[in-house]
């Protein structure tokens, strides 16, 4: 009587009983373990995504409706012809073109991003690599400022900037009046952000100190080490800080509302508020078109740099 033998590498041959077919080779016919739970997870994520993206779709749909139909029942496709002219009408609907407010937002958010990245990286480098008296106490004080709500600091900061530094008005250049109104929004960023100082410090501490020692042997000083060794390794974290800072400042409404009193100095968020304050809800389609224009830059930036955000926040420094 013949028998079939199944051989397994590293294991003795096992004879199968007569009449028992060998195990099928190749992919199993049954679904893998956990298939049902994965499918349920995908369904839940899909439902949550639909619910989260519904306001965006509602905004896009109303931006191409007529003023009469705007805000009516939501449909997959607007029944009336799409009013693409809403975007051109909206562009010149306020006292100044929408491009003025977009430029203001780009300038403010860009300078705040540059200031936050430079100052936070330098401060984090100091706390991570240098030992000095009271280092831990100073770091604890900086981190503790994250616990202070902005509403508590709003009035003292306003009194300081307006009454002491006189940054409420003055100056005229490039067609702008009261240029000093921008300073309270930009200057504080060059003194670091506590949350980003903490994140960058943790990232720097993950970089092997042997790299610094090797650079010291070659005669490099602290600034050269920071420029040649630390910054290249900080690229994922810096990318996350840049994107998060830019998006946060672009979406900021309360700060510009307090200081940017001149309509020519408005950011795009104040311009959206101007639609509501000036025209109420009578031109909802134009307001939605302006909202689409306002979120388009940050949406593009986020989708392009989403991977950098994830890599930076994970704080995965090089391993030595």
């Amino acid at each position: 009587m013949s028998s079939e033998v199944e051989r397994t590498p590293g294991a003795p041959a096992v004879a199968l009983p007569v009449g028992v077919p060998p195990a099928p080779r190749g992919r199993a016919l049954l679904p893998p373990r956990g298939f049902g739970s994965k499918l349920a997870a995908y369904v839940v994520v899909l439902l949550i995504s639909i619910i989260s993206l519904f306001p965006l779709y509602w905004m896009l749909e109303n931006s191409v409706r007529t003023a009469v139909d705007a805000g009516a029942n939501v449909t997959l496709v607007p029944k009336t012809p799409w009013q693409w002219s809403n975007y051109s009408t909206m562009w010149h609907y306020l006292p100044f073109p929408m491009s003025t407010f977009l430029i203001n937002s780009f300038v403010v958010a860009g300078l705040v991003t540059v200031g936050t990245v430079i100052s936070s990286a330098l401060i984090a480098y100091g706390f991570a690599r240098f030992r000095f008296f009271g280092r831990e106490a100073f770091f604890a004080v900086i981190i503790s400022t994250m616990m202070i709500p902005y509403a508590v600091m709003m009035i003292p900061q306003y009194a300081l900037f307006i009454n002491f530094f006189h940054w409420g008005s003055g100056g005229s250049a490039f067609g702008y009046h009261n240029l000093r109104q921008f300073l309270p929004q930009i200057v504080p960023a060059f003194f670091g952000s506590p949350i980003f100082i903490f994140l960058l410090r943790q990232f720097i501490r993950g970089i092997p100190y042997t790299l610094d020692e090797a650079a010291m042997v070659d005669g490099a000083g602290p600034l050269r080490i920071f420029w040649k060794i630390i910054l290249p390794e900080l690229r994922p974290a810096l990318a996350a800080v840049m994107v998060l800072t830019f998006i946060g400042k672009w979406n900021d409404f309360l700060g510009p509302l307090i200081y940017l009193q001149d309509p020519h100095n408005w950011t795009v968020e104040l311009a959206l508020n101007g639609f509501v304050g000036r025209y109420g809800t009578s031109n909802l389609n134009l307001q939605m078109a302006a909202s689409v224009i306002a979120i388009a830059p940050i949406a593009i930036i986020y989708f392009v740099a989403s991977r950098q955000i994830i890599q930076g926040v994970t704080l995965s420094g090089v391993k030595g």
Side-chain angles (χ1 to χ4, degrees), residues 100-143:
T100 301
F101 310 126
L102 290 172
I103 292 173
N104 293 342
S105 289
F106 273 112
V107 170
V108 172
L111 291 177
V112 168
T113 301
V114 171
T116 300
V117 169
I118 294 175
S119 58
S120 298
L122 285 171
I123 296 172
Y125 173 61
F127 279 114
R129 286 298 197 248
F130 295 96
R131 295 183 179 180
F132 52 89
F133 176 76
R135 181 183 67 171
E136 300 302 327
F138 283 122
F139 184 72
V141 170
I142 292 177
I143 298 302

Coordinates of all heavy atoms in Angstrom, one line a residue, residues 100-143:
T100 N -7.0 91.0 -1.6 CA -6.3 91.7 -0.6 C -6.3 91.0 0.7 O -5.3 90.9 1.4 CB -7.1 93.1 -0.4 OG1 -7.0 93.8 -1.6 CG2 -6.4 93.9 0.7
F101 N -7.4 90.4 1.1 CA -7.6 89.6 2.3 C -6.7 88.3 2.3 O -6.2 87.9 3.3 CB -9.0 89.3 2.6 CG -9.9 90.5 2.5 CD1 -11.0 90.5 1.7 CD2 -9.6 91.7 3.2 CE1 -11.9 91.6 1.6 CE2 -10.4 92.8 3.1 CZ -11.6 92.7 2.3
L102 N -6.7 87.7 1.1 CA -5.8 86.5 1.0 C -4.4 86.8 1.1 O -3.6 86.1 1.8 CB -6.1 85.9 -0.4 CG -7.5 85.2 -0.6 CD1 -7.6 84.8 -2.1 CD2 -7.6 84.0 0.3
I103 N -3.9 87.9 0.5 CA -2.5 88.4 0.7 C -2.2 88.6 2.2 O -1.2 88.3 2.7 CB -2.2 89.6 -0.2 CG1 -2.3 89.2 -1.7 CG2 -0.9 90.2 0.2 CD1 -2.2 90.4 -2.6
N104 N -3.1 89.3 2.8 CA -2.9 89.6 4.3 C -2.8 88.3 5.1 O -1.9 88.2 5.9 CB -4.1 90.4 4.8 CG -4.1 91.8 4.2 OD1 -3.2 92.3 3.7 ND2 -5.3 92.5 4.3
S105 N -3.6 87.4 4.8 CA -3.6 86.1 5.5 C -2.3 85.4 5.2 O -1.6 84.8 6.1 CB -4.8 85.2 5.1 OG -6.0 85.7 5.7
F106 N -1.8 85.3 3.9 CA -0.6 84.7 3.6 C 0.6 85.4 4.3 O 1.5 84.7 4.8 CB -0.4 84.7 2.1 CG -1.0 83.5 1.4 CD1 -2.1 83.7 0.6 CD2 -0.5 82.2 1.6 CE1 -2.7 82.6 -0.1 CE2 -1.1 81.1 0.9 CZ -2.2 81.3 0.1
V107 N 0.6 86.7 4.3 CA 1.7 87.4 4.9 C 1.8 87.1 6.4 O 2.8 86.8 7.0 CB 1.6 88.9 4.6 CG1 2.6 89.7 5.5 CG2 1.8 89.2 3.2
V108 N 0.6 87.3 7.1 CA 0.6 87.1 8.5 C 0.9 85.7 8.9 O 1.8 85.4 9.8 CB -0.8 87.5 9.1 CG1 -0.9 87.1 10.6 CG2 -1.0 89.0 8.9
A109 N 0.2 84.7 8.3 CA 0.5 83.3 8.6 C 1.9 82.9 8.2 O 2.5 82.1 8.9 CB -0.5 82.4 7.8
G110 N 2.4 83.4 7.1 CA 3.8 83.1 6.7 C 4.8 83.6 7.7 O 5.8 82.8 8.1
L111 N 4.7 84.8 8.1 CA 5.7 85.4 9.0 C 5.6 84.7 10.4 O 6.6 84.5 11.1 CB 5.5 86.9 9.1 CG 5.8 87.7 7.9 CD1 5.5 89.2 8.1 CD2 7.3 87.6 7.6
V112 N 4.4 84.4 10.8 CA 4.2 83.7 12.1 C 4.8 82.3 12.0 O 5.5 81.9 13.0 CB 2.7 83.7 12.4 CG1 2.5 82.7 13.6 CG2 2.2 85.0 12.8
T113 N 4.7 81.7 10.9 CA 5.3 80.4 10.7 C 6.8 80.4 10.8 O 7.4 79.6 11.5 CB 4.8 79.7 9.4 OG1 3.4 79.6 9.4 CG2 5.4 78.4 9.2
V114 N 7.4 81.4 10.1 CA 8.8 81.5 10.1 C 9.3 81.8 11.5 O 10.3 81.2 12.0 CB 9.2 82.6 9.1 CG1 10.7 83.0 9.3 CG2 8.9 82.2 7.7
G115 N 8.7 82.8 12.2 CA 9.1 83.1 13.5 C 9.0 82.0 14.5 O 9.8 81.7 15.3
T116 N 7.9 81.2 14.4 CA 7.6 80.1 15.3 C 8.7 79.0 15.1 O 9.2 78.5 16.1 CB 6.2 79.6 15.1 OG1 5.3 80.6 15.4 CG2 6.0 78.4 16.1
V117 N 9.0 78.7 13.8 CA 9.9 77.6 13.5 C 11.3 78.0 14.0 O 12.0 77.2 14.7 CB 9.9 77.3 12.0 CG1 11.0 76.4 11.7 CG2 8.6 76.7 11.6
I118 N 11.8 79.2 13.7 CA 13.1 79.6 14.1 C 13.3 79.6 15.6 O 14.2 79.1 16.1 CB 13.5 80.9 13.4 CG1 13.5 80.8 11.9 CG2 14.8 81.4 13.9 CD1 13.7 82.1 11.2
S119 N 12.4 80.4 16.2 CA 12.6 80.6 17.7 C 12.3 79.3 18.4 O 13.1 79.0 19.4 CB 11.6 81.6 18.2 OG 10.2 81.3 17.8
S120 N 11.3 78.5 18.1 CA 11.1 77.2 18.8 C 12.2 76.2 18.6 O 12.6 75.5 19.6 CB 9.8 76.6 18.3 OG 8.7 77.5 18.6
A121 N 12.8 76.2 17.4 CA 13.9 75.2 17.2 C 15.1 75.6 18.0 O 15.8 74.8 18.6 CB 14.2 75.2 15.7
L122 N 15.4 76.9 18.0 CA 16.6 77.4 18.8 C 16.4 77.2 20.3 O 17.3 76.7 21.0 CB 16.9 78.9 18.5 CG 17.5 79.2 17.1 CD1 17.5 80.7 16.9 CD2 18.9 78.6 17.1
I123 N 15.2 77.5 20.8 CA 15.0 77.3 22.2 C 15.0 75.8 22.6 O 15.6 75.4 23.6 CB 13.7 78.0 22.6 CG1 13.7 79.5 22.4 CG2 13.3 77.7 24.1 CD1 12.4 80.2 22.6
A124 N 14.4 75.0 21.8 CA 14.4 73.6 22.0 C 15.8 73.0 22.0 O 16.2 72.1 22.8 CB 13.5 72.9 21.0
Y125 N 16.6 73.5 21.1 CA 18.0 73.1 21.0 C 18.8 73.4 22.3 O 19.6 72.6 22.8 CB 18.7 73.7 19.8 CG 20.2 73.5 19.7 CD1 20.7 72.2 19.5 CD2 21.1 74.5 19.7 CE1 22.1 72.0 19.4 CE2 22.4 74.3 19.6 CZ 22.9 73.0 19.4 OH 24.3 72.8 19.3
G126 N 18.5 74.6 22.8 CA 19.2 75.0 24.0 C 18.8 74.1 25.2 O 19.7 73.7 26.0
F127 N 17.5 73.8 25.3 CA 17.1 73.0 26.5 C 17.5 71.5 26.3 O 17.7 70.8 27.3 CB 15.5 73.1 26.6 CG 15.0 74.3 27.3 CD1 14.3 75.2 26.6 CD2 15.3 74.5 28.6 CE1 13.8 76.4 27.3 CE2 14.9 75.6 29.3 CZ 14.1 76.5 28.6
A128 N 17.7 71.1 25.1 CA 18.0 69.7 24.9 C 19.5 69.4 25.0 O 19.9 68.3 25.4 CB 17.5 69.2 23.5
R129 N 20.3 70.4 24.6 CA 21.8 70.1 24.5 C 22.7 70.8 25.5 O 23.8 70.4 25.7 CB 22.3 70.4 23.1 CG 21.8 69.5 22.0 CD 22.4 68.1 22.3 NE 22.4 67.2 21.1 CZ 21.6 66.2 21.0 NH1 20.8 65.8 22.0 NH2 21.7 65.4 19.9
F130 N 22.2 71.9 26.2 CA 23.0 72.6 27.1 C 22.5 72.4 28.5 O 21.3 72.3 28.8 CB 23.0 74.1 26.7 CG 23.5 74.4 25.4 CD1 22.7 74.6 24.3 CD2 24.9 74.6 25.2 CE1 23.3 74.8 23.0 CE2 25.4 74.9 24.0 CZ 24.6 75.0 22.9
R131 N 23.5 72.4 29.4 CA 23.2 72.3 30.8 C 23.5 73.6 31.5 O 24.6 74.1 31.3 CB 24.0 71.2 31.5 CG 23.7 69.8 31.0 CD 24.4 68.7 31.7 NE 24.1 67.4 31.2 CZ 24.6 66.2 31.7 NH1 25.6 66.3 32.6 NH2 24.3 65.1 31.2
F132 N 22.6 74.2 32.2 CA 22.8 75.4 32.9 C 21.9 75.5 34.1 O 20.9 74.7 34.2 CB 22.5 76.6 31.9 CG 21.1 76.6 31.3 CD1 20.0 77.1 31.9 CD2 21.0 76.0 30.0 CE1 18.8 77.1 31.3 CE2 19.7 75.9 29.4 CZ 18.6 76.5 30.0
F133 N 22.2 76.3 35.0 CA 21.5 76.4 36.3 C 20.0 76.8 36.0 O 19.7 77.8 35.3 CB 22.1 77.5 37.2 CG 21.4 77.7 38.5 CD1 21.5 76.7 39.5 CD2 20.6 78.8 38.7 CE1 20.8 76.9 40.7 CE2 19.9 78.9 39.9 CZ 20.0 78.0 40.9
G134 N 19.1 76.0 36.6 CA 17.7 76.3 36.5 C 17.1 75.8 35.2 O 16.0 76.3 34.9
R135 N 17.8 75.0 34.4 CA 17.2 74.6 33.1 C 15.9 73.9 33.3 O 14.9 74.3 32.5 CB 18.2 73.6 32.4 CG 17.7 73.2 31.1 CD 18.7 72.2 30.4 NE 18.7 70.9 31.2 CZ 19.3 69.8 30.7 NH1 20.0 69.8 29.6 NH2 19.3 68.7 31.4
E136 N 15.7 73.0 34.1 CA 14.5 72.2 34.3 C 13.4 73.2 34.8 O 12.2 73.1 34.4 CB 14.6 71.1 35.3 CG 15.7 70.0 34.8 CD 15.3 69.5 33.4 OE1 14.1 69.4 33.1 OE2 16.2 69.1 32.6
A137 N 13.7 74.1 35.7 CA 12.7 75.0 36.2 C 12.2 76.0 35.1 O 11.0 76.2 34.9 CB 13.3 75.9 37.3
F138 N 13.2 76.5 34.3 CA 12.8 77.4 33.2 C 11.9 76.6 32.2 O 10.9 77.1 31.7 CB 14.0 77.9 32.4 CG 14.7 79.0 33.1 CD1 16.0 78.9 33.5 CD2 14.0 80.2 33.5 CE1 16.6 80.0 34.2 CE2 14.6 81.2 34.1 CZ 15.9 81.1 34.5
F139 N 12.3 75.3 31.9 CA 11.5 74.6 31.0 C 10.1 74.3 31.5 O 9.1 74.3 30.8 CB 12.2 73.2 30.7 CG 11.5 72.4 29.6 CD1 11.5 72.8 28.3 CD2 10.8 71.2 30.0 CE1 10.9 72.0 27.3 CE2 10.2 70.5 29.1 CZ 10.2 70.8 27.7
A140 N 10.0 74.0 32.8 CA 8.7 73.8 33.4 C 7.8 75.1 33.4 O 6.6 75.0 33.2 CB 8.9 73.4 34.9
V141 N 8.4 76.2 33.5 CA 7.7 77.5 33.4 C 7.1 77.7 32.0 O 6.0 78.1 31.8 CB 8.5 78.7 33.9 CG1 7.9 80.0 33.5 CG2 8.9 78.6 35.3
I142 N 8.0 77.4 31.0 CA 7.5 77.5 29.6 C 6.4 76.6 29.3 O 5.4 77.0 28.7 CB 8.7 77.3 28.7 CG1 9.7 78.4 28.8 CG2 8.2 77.2 27.2 CD1 11.0 78.2 27.9
I143 N 6.5 75.3 29.7 CA 5.5 74.4 29.5 C 4.2 74.7 30.2 O 3.1 74.5 29.8 CB 5.9 73.0 29.9 CG1 7.1 72.6 29.0 CG2 4.8 71.9 29.7 CD1 6.9 72.6 27.5

